[in-house]
């Protein structure tokens, strides 16, 4: 008797091939899906103020993991027009003096930081001492991308995502919005994010009433806001804030903000 069922194995092989083709198709489409989703994410945040940032969420979970149940996130959004102009100008003076002209990455600052850090490493090796105060070259756009969307730490994956989000932010947001976002999500003290929360915590006043000196002190702690205190500044913060005020004056002060797009 001859059976009508094929015995050449083509049917099962064809059935097994379909899931593989489907998996390969999704693998090829995943970069496009990722690009579309992240572009939409950034575009929405051009118009919508975020209730939290990735850094805020990560810090809160870290505190819980350490058993610190009293930890609280201080965060209170303020539009840039409701923040004393001295603060955003101080942030640019301290962090990214070419903010208005670069497109997300300051190549000159990167090269200067690389050369400076190499000298510091060589000196430390000769002396047999730890390396101190390496210089970073991240722009405000890069820091906004990192704080808003990503996690802390060092890895090529995180740096790649930071670069991608930086490109999107620069392409989809005006400079005014980037600076407004940074002024609201930057960490100025442990658990204290943004101009308004920092102004109330350290100076007991609204962000709109910050003086030039207070704004410079807030900008001065940004290298390490959990180590330095804007409310009770030590010699380093005082020296750095004085330099920031001088540089803010060179930029043009409050009038400089009106040059942003």
């Amino acid at each position: 008797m001859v059976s009508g069922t094929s015995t050449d194995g083509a049917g099962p092989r064809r059935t097994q091939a379909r899931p593989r083709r489907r998996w390969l198709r999704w693998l090829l489409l995943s970069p496009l899906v990722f690009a579309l989703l992240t572009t939409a994410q950034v575009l929405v945040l051009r118009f919508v103020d975020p209730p939290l940032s990735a850094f805020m969420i990560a810090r809160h979970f870290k505190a819980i993991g350490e058993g610190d149940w009293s930890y609280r996130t201080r965060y209170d959004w303020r539009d840039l027009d409701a923040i004393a102009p001295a603060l955003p100008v101080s942030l640019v003076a301290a962090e990214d003096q070419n903010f208005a002209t670069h497109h997300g990455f300051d190549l000159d600052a990167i090269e200067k930081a690389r050369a400076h850090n190499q000298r510091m490493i060589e000196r430390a090796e000769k002396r047999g001492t730890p390396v101190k105060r390496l210089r970073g070259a991240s722009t405000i756009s890069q820091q906004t991308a990192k704080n808003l969307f990503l996690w802390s730490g060092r890895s090529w994956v995180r740096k790649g995502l930071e670069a991608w989000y930086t490109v999107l932010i620069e392409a989809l947001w005006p400079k005014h919005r980037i600076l407004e976002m940074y002024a609201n999500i930057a960490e100025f003290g442990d658990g204290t994010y943004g101009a308004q929360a920092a102004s109330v915590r350290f100076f007991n006043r609204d962000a709109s009433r910050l003086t030039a000196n207070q704004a410079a002190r807030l900008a001065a702690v940004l290298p390490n806001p959990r180590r330095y205190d804007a409310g009770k500044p030590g010699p380093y913060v005082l020296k750095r804030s004085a330099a920031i005020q001088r540089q803010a004056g060179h930029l043009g002060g409050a009038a400089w903000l009106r040059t942003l797009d």
Side-chain angles (χ1 to χ4, degrees), residues 199-218:
S199 299
V200 171
R201 176 180 175 181
F202 296 115
F203 307 117
N204 195 31
R205 61 175 54 199
D206 192 86
S208 64
R209 298 178 56 243
L210 281 170
T211 67
N213 178 264
Q214 291 166 342
R217 280 158 59 180
L218 287 175

Side-chain angles (χ1 to χ4, degrees), residues 38 54 61-62 101 103 115 175 188 202 220 225 252:
T38 51
F61 277 107
K62 181 180 179 182
T101 56
H103 298 291
K175 290 286 187 177
F188 293 102
F202 296 115

Side-chain angles (χ1 to χ4, degrees), residues 107-208:
L107 300 182
D108 288 340
I110 291 172
E111 177 56 30
K112 289 178 181 177
R114 186 203 64 76
H116 169 83
N117 293 342
Q118 183 61 36
R119 289 195 300 271
M120 294 298 101
I121 291 171
E122 290 173 356
R123 290 176 186 175
E125 288 176 347
K126 288 180 181 179
R127 297 171 182 170
T129 58
V131 181
K132 294 182 179 180
R133 290 185 182 172
L134 292 179
R135 183 182 298 173
S138 292
T139 63
I140 283 176
S141 302
Q142 288 175 272
Q143 293 178 59
T144 300
K146 177 179 65 177
N147 292 353
L148 186 58
F149 299 110
L150 303 174
W151 61 93
S152 60
R154 296 177 181 273
S155 72
W156 287 109
V157 172
R158 195 196 65 76
K159 290 299 291 184
L161 289 172
E162 178 188 307
W164 170 248
Y165 274 112
T166 299
V167 169
L168 289 181
I169 285 172
E170 283 280 342
L172 299 175
W173 295 0
K175 290 286 187 177
H176 182 278
R177 179 59 170 174
I178 297 173
L179 189 54
E180 178 178 62
M181 187 70 73
Y182 184 62
N184 274 282
I185 65 172
E187 185 179 21
F188 293 102
D190 192 16
T192 301
Y193 299 86
Q196 178 62 15
S199 299
V200 171
R201 176 180 175 181
F202 296 115
F203 307 117
N204 195 31
R205 61 175 54 199
D206 192 86
S208 64

